[in-house]
Amino acid sequence: MSPSVETAEHEALLRLLLSGAPAASLRRLLDSHGSGVAALAAGTRDWASHGLDAAACRALRNPDPDAFGRALAWLSASPAHCLLSWAHPDYPPLLRRIATPPPMLFVAGDPALLWQPMVAIVGSRAATAGGNANAALFATALARAGLCIGSGLATGIDAAAHAATLEAGGATVAVLGTGPDLAYPPSNAGLLARIGKAGAVISEYPPGTPPRRAQFPSRNRILAGLALGVVVVEAAVRSGALITARLAGEAGREVFALPGSIHNPMARGCHRLIREGAQLVETPEDVLETLAPMVRDLACALRGTLAIESGIEGALTRAPGVDTEAPAADAAQVRLWRALGHDPVDLDTLAERTGLTVAELSPMLLAMELEGRVAAEYGRYTRIAR
């Protein structure tokens, strides 16, 4: 997309979003017309047929100039800023499956991370030292296994999970209940900047949107929808983390909870989740074992014809020029297998050797690791001798 075409699309999408029209109506408009520009050009009668009332139609023609200018300035401020609409091919596939997906997402950082297998790690803002340590432990191990770590940038468990993932060289996504340019709490502004450079920051709210109570449960549905599973580390009985866990369960995602001391009020929410059917987990390996089939399914969706299923069934084939057994696969898998050696190699090197993107490689590598064919340590990968 040329810069001028991209700008026109951004302007049209911002008009749609700032109109205040219901999210379902905006999704229907984008489904009908395929782009923001086409939807904007459809006219009042068409907008009304998709559920926009008179006030929304007026706002669509004359958006708030301050909000419109602020959002457009944010989008043009960096090539790492983008706006993914419901009609965009890069809109995250798992998020499409929830009951109320956002019609648009503001993204700062790498939008390809939204396609990677993700685990959300959430918990109390008033976490104990042990809870923060457990969040860091799980985030580090799961990130080194190739999973993206999602959380909400709050103090306590969220911040511990984000920071540990960055320290491990892993991928992390922060889902905000404010605009993508505002950290909440403000003390996490430095962490927000780090995630924007090394991971991705996303929000359904336009730049400049301040924190409001109702926006955080809405934020939680996006976090739950992006993830294959949610790990609740510490949570009181009345906690936003339990909202995320409930939304994850309603979306068909896995819910995990760490047990704690019966004397710790921050463990009672986890104990409640376990009584209600969440999986009790004690190690990151417990999470990986449960998510393995889901990761393979997602890898298939990402690559289209990628034959990950053959590895699940245990069928092996010898690829031409490969001196050890490789999983039956399409050309992309064979290229990856050939690029791997018995010496550790990082993702960037594998991308250079294979011509595949990091977003394409990550789920493939994770599926191979879960099948016992690849080892991962400190972000570097090797074949496992068989």
Side-chain angles (χ1 to χ4, degrees):
M1 186 181 293
S2 69
S4 59
V5 172
E6 183 177 56
T7 299
E9 179 66 8
H10 282 165
E11 290 179 354
L13 292 173
L14 290 174
R15 285 175 176 268
L16 291 167
L17 184 62
L18 295 173
S19 71
S25 297
L26 294 180
R27 292 196 303 270
R28 287 195 296 269
L29 262 176
L30 291 167
D31 276 334
S32 295
H33 299 288
S35 72
V37 169
L40 185 63
T44 304
R45 182 175 296 180
D46 186 86
W47 302 338
S49 73
H50 286 86
L52 276 68
D53 61 19
C57 291
R58 287 194 299 272
L60 189 49
R61 292 194 180 279
N62 299 288
D64 178 279
D66 291 336
F68 183 80
R70 183 166 52 242
L72 198 59
W74 182 85
L75 285 168
S76 61
S78 169
H81 294 175
C82 68
L83 179 58
L84 290 182
S85 81
W86 176 253
H88 198 287
D90 289 341
Y91 191 94
L94 286 181
L95 198 57
R96 289 187 184 276
R97 303 178 189 176
I98 69 172
T100 56
M104 297 171 211
L105 288 171
F106 293 89
V107 183
D110 184 2
L113 294 181
L114 307 183
W115 280 67
Q116 290 194 23
M118 184 186 301
V119 171
I121 297 181
V122 298
S124 175
R125 294 188 300 274
T128 65
N132 285 333
N134 284 334
L137 171 69
F138 272 70
T140 299
L142 295 174
R144 286 176 176 168
L147 288 166
C148 181
I149 306 301
S151 200
L153 200 77
T155 54
I157 298 300
D158 289 17
H162 285 308
T165 304
L166 291 171
E167 291 298 321
T172 188
V173 170
V175 185
L176 306 189
T178 61
D181 55 336
L182 296 178
Y184 185 78
S187 58
N188 278 343
L191 182 58
L192 177 68
R194 291 173 62 198
I195 296 171
K197 291 179 180 177
V201 174
I202 68 170
S203 175
E204 65 180 320
Y205 302 108
T209 303
R212 301 184 182 99
R213 184 181 295 273
Q215 292 167 184
F216 290 91
S218 184
R219 175 274 308 272
N220 292 345
R221 91 189 190 287
I222 297 177
L223 180 58
L226 286 169
L228 295 173
V230 173
V231 179
V232 183
V233 177
E234 276 190 341
V237 172
R238 297 176 64 84
S239 168
L242 297 193
I243 296 175
T244 306
R246 175 178 59 79
L247 293 169
E250 291 174 354
R253 311 298 199 258
E254 294 290 336
V255 179
F256 308 95
L258 274 66
S261 168
I262 61 172
H263 305 294
N264 178 9
M266 292 298 106
R268 291 175 186 164
C270 292
H271 294 167
R272 175 180 169 181
L273 288 174
I274 293 167
R275 287 196 299 271
E276 293 175 349
Q279 182 176 332
L280 185 156
V281 291
E282 298 173 312
T283 68
E285 288 71 27
D286 295 337
V287 177
L288 288 170
E289 182 179 355
T290 300
L291 293 183
M294 300 167 67
V295 170
R296 295 177 186 125
D297 289 345
L298 182 58
C300 292
L302 291 174
R303 289 294 304 151
T305 58
L306 187 65
I308 293 290
E309 302 99 321
S310 59
I312 298 173
E313 296 166 0
L316 298 176
T317 186
R318 185 172 296 278
V322 178
D323 59 2
T324 187
E325 287 183 313
D330 67 0
Q333 264 190 304
V334 172
R335 290 205 307 275
L336 173 55
W337 192 253
R338 287 172 173 162
L340 286 163
H342 298 288
D343 294 318
V345 60
D346 59 36
L347 266 175
D348 289 338
T349 302
L350 288 173
E352 291 177 5
R353 291 178 181 177
T354 61
L356 301 171
T357 67
V358 170
E360 291 169 331
L361 288 169
S362 292
M364 296 166 66
L365 286 163
L366 182 55
M368 289 180 178
E369 182 185 358
L370 293 170
E371 293 161 10
R373 310 193 188 287
V374 169
E377 188 172 15
Y378 300 102
R380 298 166 72 84
Y381 299 86
T382 56
R383 290 184 192 176
I384 293 177
R386 298 179 64 83

